[in-house]
Protein backbone atom coordinates (compact mmCIF):
# COMPACT_ATOMS: atom_id res chain seq x y z
CA UNK A 1 0.00 0.00 0.00
CA UNK A 2 1.71 3.23 -1.12
CA UNK A 3 1.96 6.24 1.10
CA UNK A 4 -0.11 9.17 -0.07
CA UNK A 5 1.26 12.69 -0.06
CA UNK A 6 -0.79 15.65 1.04
CA UNK A 7 0.08 19.24 0.23
CA UNK A 8 0.30 21.59 3.19
CA UNK A 9 0.87 25.23 2.34
CA UNK A 10 2.98 26.18 -0.65
CA UNK A 11 5.36 23.49 -1.91
CA UNK A 12 5.28 21.49 1.35
CA UNK A 13 4.31 17.81 1.17
CA UNK A 14 3.24 15.80 4.21
CA UNK A 15 3.21 11.98 3.98
CA UNK A 16 0.07 10.11 5.00
CA UNK A 17 1.43 8.20 8.00
CA UNK A 18 -1.48 5.82 8.55
CA UNK A 19 0.54 2.99 6.96
CA UNK A 20 3.41 3.56 9.40
CA UNK A 21 1.06 3.63 12.40
CA UNK A 22 -0.47 0.35 11.31
CA UNK A 23 3.00 -1.13 10.73
CA UNK A 24 4.10 -0.25 14.28
CA UNK A 25 0.92 -1.65 15.84
CA UNK A 26 1.23 -4.93 13.89
CA UNK A 27 4.91 -5.23 14.84
CA UNK A 28 4.20 -4.78 18.53
CA UNK A 29 1.39 -7.39 18.35
CA UNK A 30 3.64 -9.94 16.66
CA UNK A 31 6.37 -9.31 19.25
CA UNK A 32 3.86 -10.09 22.01
CA UNK A 33 2.74 -13.28 20.23
CA UNK A 34 6.30 -14.50 19.67
CA UNK A 35 7.46 -13.52 23.18
CA UNK A 36 10.01 -11.14 21.69
CA UNK A 37 11.02 -7.69 22.82
CA UNK A 38 10.33 -4.91 20.33
CA UNK A 39 13.49 -3.44 18.85
CA UNK A 40 13.96 0.13 20.07
CA UNK A 41 15.67 1.08 16.80
CA UNK A 42 12.51 0.14 14.88
CA UNK A 43 10.02 1.83 17.22
CA UNK A 44 12.10 5.01 17.46
CA UNK A 45 12.51 5.25 13.70
CA UNK A 46 8.79 4.68 13.13
CA UNK A 47 7.81 7.34 15.66
CA UNK A 48 10.24 9.80 14.09
CA UNK A 49 8.90 9.11 10.58
CA UNK A 50 5.30 9.52 11.81
CA UNK A 51 6.16 12.77 13.56
CA UNK A 52 8.08 14.23 10.61
CA UNK A 53 5.83 12.81 7.91
CA UNK A 54 8.82 11.13 6.24
CA UNK A 55 9.23 7.74 4.58
CA UNK A 56 10.52 4.74 6.55
CA UNK A 57 13.12 3.27 4.20
CA UNK A 58 15.90 1.87 6.40
CA UNK A 59 14.65 -0.87 8.74
CA UNK A 60 17.19 -1.60 11.50
CA UNK A 61 16.70 -4.52 13.89
CA UNK A 62 19.30 -4.47 16.66
CA UNK A 63 19.89 -5.46 20.26
CA UNK A 64 19.91 -2.77 22.96
CA UNK A 65 23.29 -1.81 24.42
CA UNK A 66 22.13 -2.89 27.88
CA UNK A 67 19.34 -5.33 28.72
CA UNK A 68 18.30 -7.21 31.83
CA UNK A 69 18.51 -10.99 32.05
CA UNK A 70 14.76 -11.23 32.57
CA UNK A 71 13.82 -9.34 29.41
CA UNK A 72 12.76 -11.32 26.34
CA UNK A 73 15.26 -11.53 23.43
CA UNK A 74 14.76 -9.57 20.24
CA UNK A 75 13.81 -11.89 17.39
CA UNK A 76 13.71 -11.52 13.62
CA UNK A 77 10.47 -13.45 13.11
CA UNK A 78 8.03 -10.68 14.28
CA UNK A 79 9.61 -8.19 11.86
CA UNK A 80 9.35 -10.54 8.87
CA UNK A 81 5.74 -11.37 9.76
CA UNK A 82 4.91 -7.64 9.94
CA UNK A 83 6.47 -6.90 6.56
CA UNK A 84 4.43 -9.72 4.99
CA UNK A 85 1.14 -8.94 6.75
CA UNK A 86 1.30 -5.25 5.87
CA UNK A 87 2.86 -5.88 2.44
CA UNK A 88 5.26 -3.09 3.25
CA UNK A 89 6.79 -2.12 -0.10
CA UNK A 90 8.68 1.04 0.89
CA UNK A 91 11.75 -0.37 2.63
CA UNK A 92 15.02 -0.33 0.68
CA UNK A 93 17.50 -1.35 3.42
CA UNK A 94 17.05 -4.29 5.79
CA UNK A 95 19.64 -4.23 8.58
CA UNK A 96 20.06 -6.90 11.26
CA UNK A 97 22.73 -6.08 13.83
CA UNK A 98 23.83 -8.40 16.61
CA UNK A 99 20.75 -10.63 16.44
CA UNK A 100 21.48 -14.37 16.59
CA UNK A 101 19.88 -16.02 13.54
CA UNK A 102 18.98 -19.70 13.39
CA UNK A 103 18.82 -21.63 10.13
CA UNK A 104 15.03 -21.25 10.23
CA UNK A 105 15.39 -17.47 10.59
CA UNK A 106 17.72 -17.32 7.59
CA UNK A 107 15.36 -19.51 5.54
CA UNK A 108 12.43 -17.17 6.32
CA UNK A 109 14.57 -14.15 5.43
CA UNK A 110 15.62 -15.80 2.16
CA UNK A 111 12.01 -16.50 1.19
CA UNK A 112 11.16 -12.84 1.84
CA UNK A 113 14.00 -11.66 -0.40
CA UNK A 114 13.32 -14.01 -3.30
CA UNK A 115 11.20 -12.62 -6.11
CA UNK A 116 9.98 -15.65 -8.06
CA UNK A 117 6.30 -16.41 -7.50
CA UNK A 118 5.97 -14.13 -4.48
CA UNK A 119 5.46 -10.48 -3.54
CA UNK A 120 8.49 -8.49 -4.71
CA UNK A 121 9.79 -6.61 -1.69
CA UNK A 122 12.17 -3.97 -3.04
CA UNK A 123 15.05 -4.41 -0.59
CA UNK A 124 18.29 -3.44 -2.31
CA UNK A 125 20.63 -3.56 0.69
CA UNK A 126 20.99 -6.31 3.29
CA UNK A 127 23.12 -6.05 6.43
CA UNK A 128 23.44 -9.13 8.63
CA UNK A 129 26.28 -8.18 10.98
CA UNK A 130 27.41 -10.42 13.86
CA UNK A 131 24.44 -12.76 13.48
CA UNK A 132 26.20 -16.12 13.91
CA UNK A 133 25.55 -17.17 10.30
CA UNK A 134 26.88 -20.68 9.68
CA UNK A 135 27.80 -22.55 6.49
CA UNK A 136 24.25 -23.72 5.71
CA UNK A 137 22.83 -20.22 6.22
CA UNK A 138 25.54 -18.68 4.01
CA UNK A 139 24.57 -21.02 1.16
CA UNK A 140 20.85 -20.32 1.63
CA UNK A 141 21.43 -16.57 1.56
CA UNK A 142 23.49 -16.95 -1.61
CA UNK A 143 20.62 -18.71 -3.36
CA UNK A 144 18.21 -15.98 -2.27
CA UNK A 145 20.53 -13.22 -3.53
CA UNK A 146 20.42 -14.71 -7.01
CA UNK A 147 16.65 -14.16 -7.20
CA UNK A 148 16.44 -10.88 -5.30
CA UNK A 149 16.89 -7.18 -6.03
CA UNK A 150 19.88 -6.89 -3.69
CA UNK A 151 22.79 -4.83 -4.96
CA UNK A 152 24.67 -4.54 -1.65
CA UNK A 153 25.23 -7.21 1.03
CA UNK A 154 27.17 -6.82 4.30
CA UNK A 155 27.97 -9.98 6.29
CA UNK A 156 30.69 -8.68 8.64
CA UNK A 157 31.61 -10.54 11.83
CA UNK A 158 30.05 -13.85 10.76
CA UNK A 159 32.78 -16.47 11.00
CA UNK A 160 31.59 -18.94 8.36
CA UNK A 161 35.22 -19.35 7.20
CA UNK A 162 36.38 -20.70 3.81
CA UNK A 163 33.68 -23.36 3.51
CA UNK A 164 30.95 -20.79 4.02
CA UNK A 165 32.47 -18.56 1.33
CA UNK A 166 32.62 -21.48 -1.08
CA UNK A 167 28.94 -22.30 -0.53
CA UNK A 168 27.91 -18.64 -0.76
CA UNK A 169 29.80 -17.95 -4.00
CA UNK A 170 28.63 -21.20 -5.59
CA UNK A 171 25.02 -20.24 -4.84
CA UNK A 172 25.66 -16.76 -6.28
CA UNK A 173 26.67 -18.07 -9.73
CA UNK A 174 24.86 -16.17 -12.46
CA UNK A 175 23.99 -13.19 -10.27
CA UNK A 176 24.57 -9.97 -12.23
CA UNK A 177 22.82 -7.59 -9.82
CA UNK A 178 25.01 -7.71 -6.72
CA UNK A 179 27.60 -4.93 -6.89
CA UNK A 180 28.92 -4.57 -3.34
CA UNK A 181 29.90 -7.40 -0.95
CA UNK A 182 31.44 -6.99 2.51
CA UNK A 183 32.80 -9.84 4.63
CA UNK A 184 35.10 -8.20 7.15
CA UNK A 185 36.33 -10.20 10.16
CA UNK A 186 34.81 -13.47 8.88
CA UNK A 187 37.88 -15.64 9.57
CA UNK A 188 38.64 -16.17 5.88
CA UNK A 189 41.90 -17.90 4.97
CA UNK A 190 44.07 -18.07 1.81
CA UNK A 191 41.67 -20.51 0.12
CA UNK A 192 38.99 -17.80 0.06
CA UNK A 193 41.19 -15.69 -2.22
CA UNK A 194 40.80 -18.11 -5.13
CA UNK A 195 37.03 -18.37 -4.60
CA UNK A 196 36.50 -14.61 -4.37
CA UNK A 197 38.86 -13.96 -7.29
CA UNK A 198 36.59 -16.10 -9.45
CA UNK A 199 33.60 -14.12 -8.17
CA UNK A 200 35.21 -10.83 -9.19
CA UNK A 201 36.06 -12.23 -12.62
CA UNK A 202 32.65 -13.72 -13.40
CA UNK A 203 30.07 -11.47 -11.72
CA UNK A 204 29.05 -7.83 -11.40
CA UNK A 205 30.68 -7.41 -7.97
CA UNK A 206 32.95 -4.36 -8.14
CA UNK A 207 33.17 -3.39 -4.45
CA UNK A 208 34.75 -5.97 -2.14
CA UNK A 209 35.49 -5.37 1.55
CA UNK A 210 37.62 -8.02 3.30
CA UNK A 211 39.28 -6.16 6.16
CA UNK A 212 40.40 -8.21 9.16
CA UNK A 213 40.75 -11.65 7.58
CA UNK A 214 43.76 -13.95 6.97
CA UNK A 215 44.14 -14.09 3.18
CA UNK A 216 47.92 -13.69 3.43
CA UNK A 217 50.01 -13.34 0.28
CA UNK A 218 48.74 -16.43 -1.57
CA UNK A 219 45.08 -15.55 -1.02
CA UNK A 220 45.60 -11.90 -1.97
CA UNK A 221 47.47 -12.89 -5.15
CA UNK A 222 44.72 -15.31 -6.18
CA UNK A 223 42.13 -12.61 -5.49
CA UNK A 224 43.54 -9.86 -7.72
CA UNK A 225 45.30 -11.82 -10.50
CA UNK A 226 42.35 -11.83 -12.93
CA UNK A 227 41.39 -8.17 -12.44
CA UNK A 228 45.00 -6.97 -12.62
CA UNK A 229 45.72 -8.89 -15.84
CA UNK A 230 42.47 -7.70 -17.38
CA UNK A 231 43.23 -4.04 -16.54
CA UNK A 232 46.69 -4.34 -18.09
CA UNK A 233 45.36 -6.09 -21.20
CA UNK A 234 42.59 -3.54 -21.67
CA UNK A 235 45.09 -0.70 -21.39
CA UNK A 236 47.26 -2.32 -24.09
CA UNK A 237 44.26 -2.69 -26.42
CA UNK A 238 43.26 0.94 -25.90
CA UNK A 239 46.81 2.12 -26.60
CA UNK A 240 46.88 0.10 -29.83
CA UNK A 241 43.52 1.52 -30.92
CA UNK A 242 44.72 5.08 -30.23
CA UNK A 243 47.86 4.47 -32.30
CA UNK A 244 45.81 3.04 -35.19
CA UNK A 245 43.35 5.93 -35.01
CA UNK A 246 46.19 8.46 -35.12
CA UNK A 247 47.68 6.77 -38.19
CA UNK A 248 44.31 6.88 -39.99
CA UNK A 249 43.93 10.57 -39.14
CA UNK A 250 47.36 11.34 -40.61
CA UNK A 251 46.57 9.44 -43.83
CA UNK A 252 43.20 11.20 -44.19
CA UNK A 253 44.81 14.59 -43.66
CA UNK A 254 47.40 13.83 -46.32
CA UNK A 255 44.69 12.61 -48.68
CA UNK A 256 42.65 15.81 -48.26
CA UNK A 257 45.58 18.03 -49.27
CA UNK A 258 46.50 15.82 -52.23
CA UNK A 259 49.51 14.09 -50.73
CA UNK A 260 49.74 10.36 -51.52
CA UNK A 261 52.57 8.34 -50.09
CA UNK A 262 53.86 4.83 -50.45
CA UNK A 263 51.63 3.88 -47.53
CA UNK A 264 48.51 4.62 -49.57
CA UNK A 265 49.93 2.79 -52.60
CA UNK A 266 49.48 5.84 -54.91
CA UNK A 267 52.08 8.11 -56.54
CA UNK A 268 52.73 11.57 -55.13
CA UNK A 269 51.77 14.65 -57.13
CA UNK A 270 54.55 17.04 -58.00
CA UNK A 271 52.68 19.81 -59.82
CA UNK A 272 50.63 20.93 -56.81
CA UNK A 273 47.36 19.98 -58.52
CA UNK A 274 44.37 19.63 -56.17
CA UNK A 275 42.41 17.33 -58.51
CA UNK A 276 43.30 14.04 -56.73
CA UNK A 277 42.25 15.54 -53.39
CA UNK A 278 38.94 16.74 -54.85
CA UNK A 279 38.24 13.33 -56.40
CA UNK A 280 39.04 11.47 -53.18
CA UNK A 281 36.82 13.78 -51.14
CA UNK A 282 33.99 13.37 -53.68
CA UNK A 283 34.28 9.58 -53.53
CA UNK A 284 34.20 9.54 -49.74
CA UNK A 285 31.18 11.86 -49.58
CA UNK A 286 29.23 9.74 -52.07
CA UNK A 287 29.97 6.59 -50.07
CA UNK A 288 28.83 8.24 -46.84
CA UNK A 289 25.49 9.25 -48.40
CA UNK A 290 24.56 5.73 -49.39
CA UNK A 291 25.88 4.06 -46.26
CA UNK A 292 23.70 3.55 -43.21
CA UNK A 293 25.12 3.70 -39.74
CA UNK A 294 25.17 0.38 -37.94
CA UNK A 295 24.88 0.33 -34.19
CA UNK A 296 27.69 -1.78 -32.85
CA UNK A 297 26.80 -3.92 -29.83
CA UNK A 298 28.30 -2.67 -26.60
CA UNK A 299 31.20 -4.83 -25.43
CA UNK A 300 30.55 -7.03 -22.45
CA UNK A 301 32.14 -5.73 -19.23
CA UNK A 302 35.17 -7.62 -18.06
CA UNK A 303 36.37 -8.27 -14.54
CA UNK A 304 37.12 -5.01 -12.79
CA UNK A 305 36.91 -3.53 -9.32
CA UNK A 306 36.27 0.00 -8.08
CA UNK A 307 36.70 -0.46 -4.30
CA UNK A 308 38.95 -3.08 -2.72
CA UNK A 309 39.67 -3.29 1.01
CA UNK A 310 42.36 -5.77 2.11
CA UNK A 311 43.47 -4.13 5.35
CA UNK A 312 44.85 -6.31 8.17
CA UNK A 313 45.03 -9.56 6.18
CA UNK A 314 48.52 -10.79 7.07
CA UNK A 315 49.97 -9.79 3.69
CA UNK A 316 53.64 -9.83 4.69
CA UNK A 317 56.85 -11.84 4.46
CA UNK A 318 56.03 -14.08 7.43
CA UNK A 319 54.02 -16.72 5.55
CA UNK A 320 55.18 -19.70 3.49
CA UNK A 321 55.99 -17.58 0.44
CA UNK A 322 58.16 -15.15 2.40
CA UNK A 323 59.48 -12.19 0.37
CA UNK A 324 58.55 -13.82 -2.94
CA UNK A 325 54.84 -13.78 -2.11
CA UNK A 326 54.86 -10.13 -1.06
CA UNK A 327 56.68 -9.10 -4.24
CA UNK A 328 54.27 -11.06 -6.43
CA UNK A 329 51.33 -9.36 -4.71
CA UNK A 330 52.87 -5.90 -4.99
CA UNK A 331 53.58 -6.37 -8.71
CA UNK A 332 49.99 -7.43 -9.43
CA UNK A 333 48.66 -4.62 -7.27
CA UNK A 334 50.92 -2.17 -9.10
CA UNK A 335 49.43 -3.28 -12.42
CA UNK A 336 45.95 -2.68 -11.02
CA UNK A 337 46.91 0.79 -9.76
CA UNK A 338 48.76 1.69 -12.96
CA UNK A 339 46.17 0.59 -15.53
CA UNK A 340 42.68 0.41 -13.94
CA UNK A 341 40.55 3.45 -14.68
CA UNK A 342 37.69 2.10 -12.56
CA UNK A 343 39.72 1.69 -9.36
CA UNK A 344 38.75 4.53 -7.00
CA UNK A 345 39.42 3.19 -3.49
CA UNK A 346 42.11 0.85 -2.17
CA UNK A 347 42.85 -0.16 1.43
CA UNK A 348 45.98 -2.20 2.18
CA UNK A 349 46.55 -0.77 5.66
CA UNK A 350 47.99 -2.84 8.52
CA UNK A 351 49.94 -5.18 6.23
CA UNK A 352 53.74 -5.27 6.67
CA UNK A 353 54.68 -5.03 2.99
CA UNK A 354 58.30 -3.93 3.31
CA UNK A 355 60.58 -1.69 1.28
CA UNK A 356 60.63 -3.33 -2.17
CA UNK A 357 56.83 -3.78 -2.43
CA UNK A 358 56.38 -0.21 -1.22
CA UNK A 359 58.72 0.96 -3.98
CA UNK A 360 56.62 -0.93 -6.57
CA UNK A 361 53.45 0.77 -5.30
CA UNK A 362 55.18 4.17 -5.33
CA UNK A 363 56.21 3.70 -8.96
CA UNK A 364 52.68 2.61 -9.90
CA UNK A 365 51.17 5.66 -8.20
CA UNK A 366 53.57 7.91 -10.11
CA UNK A 367 52.69 6.25 -13.44
CA UNK A 368 48.98 6.50 -12.68
CA UNK A 369 49.30 10.21 -11.99
CA UNK A 370 51.33 10.79 -15.15
CA UNK A 371 48.75 8.82 -17.16
CA UNK A 372 46.04 11.16 -15.84
CA UNK A 373 43.84 8.32 -14.59
CA UNK A 374 40.95 9.14 -12.24
CA UNK A 375 41.65 10.02 -8.62
CA UNK A 376 42.47 7.12 -6.28
CA UNK A 377 41.84 7.08 -2.54
CA UNK A 378 44.38 4.75 -0.94
CA UNK A 379 45.19 3.71 2.63
CA UNK A 380 48.64 2.28 3.30
CA UNK A 381 50.54 1.23 6.38
CA UNK A 382 53.29 3.39 7.83
CA UNK A 383 55.45 0.31 8.50
CA UNK A 384 57.93 1.36 5.81
CA UNK A 385 60.77 3.83 5.96
CA UNK A 386 59.85 7.52 6.42
CA UNK A 387 61.65 8.29 3.15
CA UNK A 388 59.48 5.91 1.10
CA UNK A 389 56.29 7.04 2.82
CA UNK A 390 57.10 10.71 2.14
CA UNK A 391 57.88 9.84 -1.48
CA UNK A 392 54.44 8.25 -1.85
CA UNK A 393 52.85 11.39 -0.44
CA UNK A 394 54.89 13.58 -2.78
CA UNK A 395 54.50 11.55 -5.98
CA UNK A 396 50.81 10.73 -5.54
CA UNK A 397 49.76 14.18 -6.82
CA UNK A 398 45.98 14.16 -6.86
CA UNK A 399 45.95 10.71 -5.30
CA UNK A 400 44.99 10.70 -1.64
CA UNK A 401 47.07 8.64 0.79
CA UNK A 402 45.50 8.17 4.21
CA UNK A 403 46.69 6.55 7.39
CA UNK A 404 44.08 4.63 9.38
CA UNK A 405 44.16 3.63 13.03
CA UNK A 406 44.53 -0.08 13.65
CA UNK A 407 41.34 -1.85 14.66
CA UNK A 408 41.32 -4.82 16.99
CA UNK A 409 40.03 -8.08 15.63
CA UNK A 410 37.05 -9.57 17.34
CA UNK A 411 38.14 -12.42 19.57
Amino acid sequence: MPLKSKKKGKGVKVIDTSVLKKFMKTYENHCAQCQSSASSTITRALKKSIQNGSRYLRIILSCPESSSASSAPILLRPLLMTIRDERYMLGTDLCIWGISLSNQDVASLAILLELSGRTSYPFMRLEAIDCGIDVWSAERLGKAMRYSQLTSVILDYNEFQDEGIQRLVHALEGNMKLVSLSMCYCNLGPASGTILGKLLAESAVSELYLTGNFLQCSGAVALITAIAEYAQGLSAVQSAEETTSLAHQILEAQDQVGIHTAVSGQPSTTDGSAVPAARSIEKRSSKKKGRKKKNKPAPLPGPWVSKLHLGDNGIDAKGKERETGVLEFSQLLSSLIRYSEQLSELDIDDNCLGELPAADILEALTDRNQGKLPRLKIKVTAQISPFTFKAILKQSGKLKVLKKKRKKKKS
Side-chain angles (χ1 to χ4, degrees):
M1 182 183 296
L3 293 180
K4 297 179 180 179
S5 300
K6 298 179 179 179
K7 291 186 178 180
K8 184 178 179 181
K10 294 183 178 180
V12 180
K13 292 183 179 180
V14 179
I15 302 299
D16 183 0
T17 57
S18 60
V19 175
L20 300 182
K21 292 177 181 178
K22 191 176 180 182
F23 185 96
M24 184 164 64
K25 185 177 180 180
T26 304
Y27 175 65
E28 291 174 346
N29 290 338
H30 281 311
C31 285
Q33 293 172 6
C34 299
Q35 297 182 347
S36 167
S37 296
S39 174
S40 59
T41 51
I42 290 180
T43 55
R44 282 200 305 264
L46 282 169
K47 290 177 181 178
K48 185 177 180 180
S49 296
I50 293 171
Q51 182 180 359
N52 298 338
S54 57
R55 296 178 182 272
Y56 182 45
L57 304 176
R58 185 173 171 82
I59 302 175
I60 302 176
L61 181 73
S62 65
C63 286
E65 296 180 359
S66 59
S67 59
S68 61
S70 59
S71 60
I74 296 176
L75 304 177
L76 174 63
R77 184 183 175 192
L79 175 60
L80 299 182
M81 293 170 64
T82 303
I83 294 173
R84 288 197 191 96
D85 290 351
E86 298 302 323
R87 292 187 178 273
Y88 190 72
M89 307 298 294
L90 300 171
T92 57
D93 297 12
L94 181 57
C95 308
I96 308 165
W97 299 344
I99 305 294
S100 181
L101 300 181
S102 65
N103 289 342
Q104 182 61 46
D105 291 331
V106 173
S108 300
L109 173 62
I111 292 172
L112 180 77
L113 295 172
E114 289 171 343
L115 303 178
S116 55
R118 301 178 180 89
T119 303
S120 301
Y121 295 99
F123 290 109
M124 300 181 65
R125 181 183 179 91
L126 173 66
E127 297 182 13
I129 301 174
D130 194 15
C131 295
I133 296 175
D134 60 12
V135 175
W136 185 92
S137 295
E139 182 178 12
R140 184 66 185 91
L141 272 180
K143 292 178 179 178
M145 292 176 201
R146 187 192 303 179
Y147 302 106
S148 71
Q149 294 187 13
L150 293 174
T151 59
S152 176
V153 174
I154 299 177
L155 301 174
D156 299 347
Y157 293 100
N158 292 289
E159 297 187 357
F160 34 70
Q161 303 181 6
D162 297 334
E163 185 180 357
I165 286 295
Q166 186 175 7
R167 298 279 189 90
L168 175 69
V169 172
H170 179 72
L172 269 173
E173 287 182 0
N175 187 316
M176 300 307 293
K177 292 182 180 179
L178 188 66
V179 175
S180 178
L181 180 61
S182 178
M183 291 176 291
C184 301
Y185 301 96
C186 288
N187 199 19
L188 308 182
S192 294
T194 303
I195 300 168
L196 293 172
K198 182 179 179 182
L199 178 68
L200 285 179
E202 299 177 0
S203 74
V205 173
S206 61
E207 299 177 8
L208 188 61
Y209 304 88
L210 299 172
T211 301
N213 289 292
F214 305 97
L215 294 183
Q216 301 181 5
C217 292
S218 58
V221 167
L223 175 69
I224 67 172
T225 296
I227 56 177
E229 291 178 349
Y230 177 79
Q232 184 174 1
L234 185 62
S235 176
V237 171
Q238 291 175 346
S239 298
E241 289 178 351
E242 290 175 359
T243 303
T244 304
S245 176
L246 180 61
H248 283 305
Q249 291 176 7
I250 294 174
L251 290 176
E252 288 181 0
Q254 292 174 346
D255 190 23
Q256 289 176 2
V257 297
I259 300 175
H260 299 280
T261 64
V263 176
S264 62
Q266 297 182 14
S268 302
T269 58
T270 55
D271 58 353
S273 173
V275 174
R279 289 177 179 174
S280 61
I281 295 174
E282 184 179 355
K283 289 180 180 179
R284 283 198 302 272
S285 60
S286 61
K287 289 181 180 179
K288 288 181 180 179
K289 289 181 181 178
R291 183 170 45 191
K292 294 182 179 179
K293 293 184 179 180
K294 296 182 180 180
N295 295 326
K296 295 182 179 180
L300 295 175
W304 55 270
V305 64
S306 60
K307 296 181 181 180
L308 180 63
H309 286 209
L310 295 176
D312 194 12
N313 263 275
I315 304 173
D316 49 39
K318 298 178 182 178
K320 294 181 180 180
E321 300 86 0
R322 299 290 181 178
E323 290 82 2
T324 305
V326 185
L327 287 173
E328 185 179 4
F329 169 74
S330 66
Q331 289 170 3
L332 285 169
L333 188 66
S334 298
S335 294
L336 191 64
I337 294 172
R338 186 177 285 111
Y339 300 113
S340 176
E341 296 183 3
Q342 292 82 14
L343 188 65
S344 62
E345 190 171 306
L346 178 64
D347 181 2
I348 51 173
D349 200 9
D350 294 327
N351 293 294
C352 305
L353 299 178
E355 280 295 324
L356 290 178
D360 289 340
I361 295 172
L362 170 60
E363 184 180 354
L365 289 171
T366 304
D367 293 343
R368 181 184 181 90
N369 193 37
Q370 292 176 350
K372 298 181 180 180
L373 267 66
R375 179 179 179 271
L376 174 64
K377 180 181 178 181
I378 180 170
K379 296 180 182 179
V380 297
T381 181
Q383 293 170 328
I384 55 179
S385 70
F387 173 79
T388 305
F389 190 73
K390 288 179 181 178
I392 292 177
L393 290 173
K394 182 178 179 181
Q395 293 293 337
S396 60
K398 293 183 179 180
L399 309 177
K400 188 176 182 180
V401 182
L402 299 178
K403 181 181 176 182
K404 185 181 70 172
K405 294 182 179 178
R406 184 181 180 89
K407 293 183 179 179
K408 295 182 179 179
K409 291 186 180 181
K410 186 180 175 183
S411 58

